Amino acid sequence: MSFLTPSVTPKAEEPAAEIAAGARLVPRITIQAFCEHSQTAQMVESALHDRRMSKVALTTHNGGIEGAVETYKSNPTPNLIIVETSLPPEAIPQALQSLAEVCDASTRVIVLGHFNDVTLYRELIRSGISEYIVLPASPQLIVTAITELYAAEGAAPIGRTIGFISAKGGAGGSTITHNVAWSIATTLRQDCLILDMDLPFGTAGLNFNQDPPHGLADALLANQKVDQTMLDRLMSKAANHINLLTAPATLDRSWDFEERSFEQIIEICQKSVPVILLDIPHVWSGWTRHTLAAIDEVVIVAEPDLANLRNAKNLADTIKALRPTEKAVSLVINKHGVPRRPEINPSEFASSVECALIGQIGFDAALFGTAANNGQMIAEVSANNKANEIYRAIGMHVTGRQASHSASKATSLLTTLPALFKKRA
């Protein structure tokens, strides 16, 4: 009588929700700018403060187009030249023709002009100029133009990098990182990768009940040999849509690294995973500082006491100085409401450290202790606990789901026609 039993069709998983992509960094290039006014030179130099320009070598010179022509008569040209000109529109093409005669074919040129002339813009683009920007302009506009210029045409979006760091040891940054990743994976159905950067004491493997033989340390020790294939082999699957690059959690060696040691690994991960969550340990080193300066989003996790307040303030101020063009650091208050403990009000805490408060996690020793001992997430132990809603809200915030990220259209198209800027024989 099986025909009387209705067939049950497995429910298909809903498609992943759209999230904000990560910022694309400008590759290692050399840029030389020739400016006619000191204000323009300062504006161009300010662009270096943008984290997207962290690999760029930029120098500024006086003289505009004429200064560039004189310089490159006897010197090789860089990857990109930025020139300011106050010439009238009808004189600019001829002046650039002189520059073209001393430039290599691969050199790109951005012109900063003082005339908002559509006809001039079209003529310059047709002749091979990469971009024409009307002054006054912002450093962010300069950076965006350079970024789009060096992004491969039709390149896929890159993964968003989100770093969690505790203001004080034991504040719970790792626990929040792992539970937020779980929330993003289950709510938004986006693939997440957790990088456990606390190599001697990391807990990602424990919290997800995993004991993989390889992990993040193997990728770091491979130096320049690391690639996407190797990372895929080193990752361990913790749950649906969640992968880990775990820490070895051993003390058989010292885990000291150079400032940019993690940079290549993170960039490779961004090409294949839409969300990368970095569990950053409570240490201060060159690589910690560089990582916090380069990633898309930084979240400080703190308990509501005085020591956490002091450390969170120091962290927030330092990160703000490292990322002057980025929005304020986010803050999560953890272990709020410990019985009989005097605590600082979360709103006052956030106001004091000048951070955006995006979540408050209440203290629940039994729940969090059970989850940690079982190697489970909070949602697995208690699906209806209100902490899950907070993790979900944090996940929505750090993936850009609460704000519109539709990029404004550029002031002009970026075109790289090589016809004009070819080295004359």
Side-chain angles (χ1 to χ4, degrees):
M1 301 295 288
S2 60
F3 61 88
L4 296 179
T5 305
S7 60
V8 179
T9 303
K11 184 179 179 181
E13 186 180 61
E14 295 180 14
E18 183 179 349
I19 63 171
R24 194 177 298 276
L25 303 184
V26 179
R28 285 183 174 83
I29 60 171
T30 55
I31 303 176
Q32 293 183 0
F34 293 82
C35 305
E36 297 180 346
H37 301 89
S38 59
Q39 297 92 334
T40 305
Q42 292 173 2
M43 184 268 296
V44 173
E45 290 171 353
S46 296
L48 270 183
H49 297 307
D50 193 295
R51 63 188 175 89
R52 292 172 289 177
M53 299 278 282
S54 61
K55 302 178 183 180
V56 170
L58 184 147
T59 55
T60 57
H61 310 270
N62 297 324
I65 296 178
E66 291 183 1
V69 172
E70 290 300 317
T71 298
Y72 298 128
K73 282 181 178 178
S74 56
N75 294 287
T77 53
N79 302 104
L80 174 63
I81 301 171
I82 300 175
V83 290
E84 179 190 9
T85 178
S86 299
L87 294 172
E90 61 273 11
I92 293 177
Q94 184 60 41
L96 290 173
Q97 179 66 35
S98 301
L99 178 60
E101 294 175 357
V102 295
C103 281
D104 293 330
S106 59
T107 298
R108 298 177 175 182
V109 176
I110 292 178
V111 178
L112 308 180
H114 295 265
F115 295 92
N116 191 1
D117 189 314
V118 175
T119 303
L120 170 64
Y121 169 76
R122 290 174 177 170
E123 182 177 354
L124 294 181
I125 294 300
R126 281 197 301 267
S127 66
I129 297 298
S130 298
E131 177 65 295
Y132 177 76
I133 298 175
V134 180
L135 296 172
S138 66
Q140 288 73 28
L141 182 60
I142 300 293
V143 175
T144 299
I146 296 172
T147 302
E148 294 182 1
L149 187 59
Y150 283 90
E153 185 176 351
I158 60 174
R160 186 170 182 81
T161 50
I162 306 153
F164 291 80
I165 184 168
S166 295
K168 187 171 178 285
S174 295
T175 298
I176 290 178
T177 304
H178 306 157
N179 280 277
V180 168
W182 180 276
S183 178
I184 293 172
T186 56
T187 303
L188 301 180
R189 298 166 301 283
Q190 286 284 354
D191 289 339
C192 298
L193 173 63
I194 299 174
L195 269 61
D196 191 344
M197 306 175 83
D198 188 356
L199 297 179
F201 304 110
T203 58
L206 288 175
N207 285 352
F208 283 96
N209 197 24
Q210 299 285 317
D211 187 21
H214 304 289
L216 184 57
D218 298 273
L220 289 166
L221 297 176
N223 295 322
Q224 299 301 318
K225 297 179 181 178
V226 64
D227 57 14
Q228 186 64 61
T229 302
M230 174 180 284
L231 287 180
D232 289 342
R233 181 172 54 84
L234 296 176
M235 291 180 193
S236 58
K237 188 172 183 62
N240 194 24
H241 295 303
I242 298 180
N243 287 304
L244 308 176
L245 275 174
T246 57
T250 59
L251 303 180
D252 55 356
R253 58 160 295 163
S254 59
W255 300 102
D256 301 320
F257 294 101
E258 299 297 326
E259 182 179 85
R260 294 178 179 266
S261 295
F262 289 89
E263 184 178 76
Q264 182 185 10
I265 295 172
I266 294 173
E267 290 183 357
I268 294 174
C269 293
Q270 284 183 282
K271 296 177 181 178
S272 60
V273 185
V275 183
I276 299 98
L277 296 100
L278 286 67
D279 185 358
I280 304 173
H282 179 68
V283 297
W284 194 248
S285 60
W287 69 261
T288 309
R289 181 185 178 95
H290 177 74
T291 300
L292 291 171
I295 58 181
D296 294 306
E297 188 95 15
V298 178
V299 180
I300 297 175
V301 178
E303 293 186 48
D305 61 30
L306 186 59
N308 277 270
L309 177 64
R310 179 202 63 184
N311 294 354
K313 177 62 175 173
N314 289 339
L315 270 175
D317 290 347
T318 302
I319 294 170
K320 182 178 180 180
L322 292 172
R323 305 157 59 93
T325 62
E326 301 294 319
K327 65 179 183 179
V329 175
S330 299
L331 172 70
V332 173
I333 296 295
N334 195 29
K335 303 181 185 178
H336 175 57
V338 174
R340 303 180 65 181
R341 178 178 73 171
E343 296 182 347
I344 301 171
N345 180 275
S347 297
E348 295 177 1
F349 193 111
S351 177
S352 298
V353 300
E354 298 179 344
C355 290
L357 181 62
I358 62 173
Q360 303 175 43
I361 310 295
F363 176 75
D364 190 334
L367 173 64
F368 283 83
T370 300
N373 289 338
N374 293 346
Q376 294 178 300
M377 297 296 101
I378 299 301
E380 294 180 286
V381 176
S382 178
N384 296 323
N385 192 279
K386 63 181 181 181
N388 296 313
E389 288 298 325
I390 301 171
Y391 290 134
R392 189 174 297 112
I394 296 171
M396 295 286 282
H397 178 88
V398 297
T399 53
R401 292 280 293 170
Q402 291 183 334
S404 173
H405 285 265
S406 56
S408 58
K409 292 184 178 180
T411 55
S412 55
L413 298 175
L414 295 176
T415 309
T416 54
L417 301 177
L420 176 61
F421 285 87
K422 287 187 177 179
K423 189 86 170 183
R424 298 299 193 267

